[in-house]
Amino acid sequence: QVQVVESGGGLVQAGGSLRLSCTVSGLTFGEYAMGWFRQVPGKEREMVLCINASGGYTSSAGSVAGRFTISRDNSNNVMYLQMDSLKAEDTAMYYCAADRSWHALTSSPYNPSYWGQGTQVTVSS
């Protein structure tokens, strides 16, 4: 059984930092592209950053470029999202996702094979 579990969310002041973690079990982690997505109630889910199985990455939302960094540790089946210089508009539920296919992970309407349950990030202004 595949489990995708996010952690690290919380309340932070604008300008602060948080690091999210995504721990995966039940699959061969090093064979999967991974990504972080976020969603605000009433809006579509947005791709934040994705990383391929070997560690390359892409930035999607221009608003996070230079502030957010994605990384992965294939030895420990964990992916991270380092979020610096947080802004109020970064407030959202953040989800981790996994798929063998880079295209499936990164192409709207974003239907990867596995999703986590989400972790809430709230940035106070």
Side-chain angles (χ1 to χ4, degrees), residues 1 8 10-11 14 17 23 29 46 66 74-75 78 82 87 90 113:
Q1 181 180 358
L11 174 64
S17 298
T23 302
F29 185 74
E46 172 189 32
N74 285 357
S75 297
V78 181
Q82 178 66 42
K87 303 176 181 179
D90 294 318
S113 297

Side-chain angles (χ1 to χ4, degrees), residues 36-40 44-48 61 63-64 67-68 89-95:
W36 288 100
F37 298 77
R38 65 187 182 185
Q39 190 169 24
V40 175
E44 292 187 355
R45 191 165 294 189
E46 172 189 32
M47 185 173 70
V48 178
S63 60
V64 308
R67 300 189 299 120
F68 290 13
E89 52 263 43
D90 294 318
T91 295
M93 184 70 78
Y94 283 71
Y95 296 92

Side-chain angles (χ1 to χ4, degrees), residues 25-108:
S25 60
L27 52 74
T28 305
F29 185 74
E31 294 180 356
Y32 281 74
M34 300 292 299
W36 288 100
F37 298 77
R38 65 187 182 185
Q39 190 169 24
V40 175
K43 294 189 176 181
E44 292 187 355
R45 191 165 294 189
E46 172 189 32
M47 185 173 70
V48 178
L49 279 165
C50 293
I51 188 166
N52 69 6
S54 63
Y57 71 94
T58 185
S59 176
S60 60
S63 60
V64 308
R67 300 189 299 120
F68 290 13
T69 304
I70 191 170
S71 62
R72 64 188 295 162
D73 178 353
N74 285 357
S75 297
N76 292 299
N77 291 10
V78 181
M79 177 181 65
Y80 301 101
L81 182 67
Q82 178 66 42
M83 303 186 294
D84 298 319
S85 302
L86 282 161
K87 303 176 181 179
E89 52 263 43
D90 294 318
T91 295
M93 184 70 78
Y94 283 71
Y95 296 92
C96 171
D99 202 285
R100 288 181 181 271
S101 165
W102 181 255
H103 179 78
L105 182 67
T106 61
S107 301
S108 180

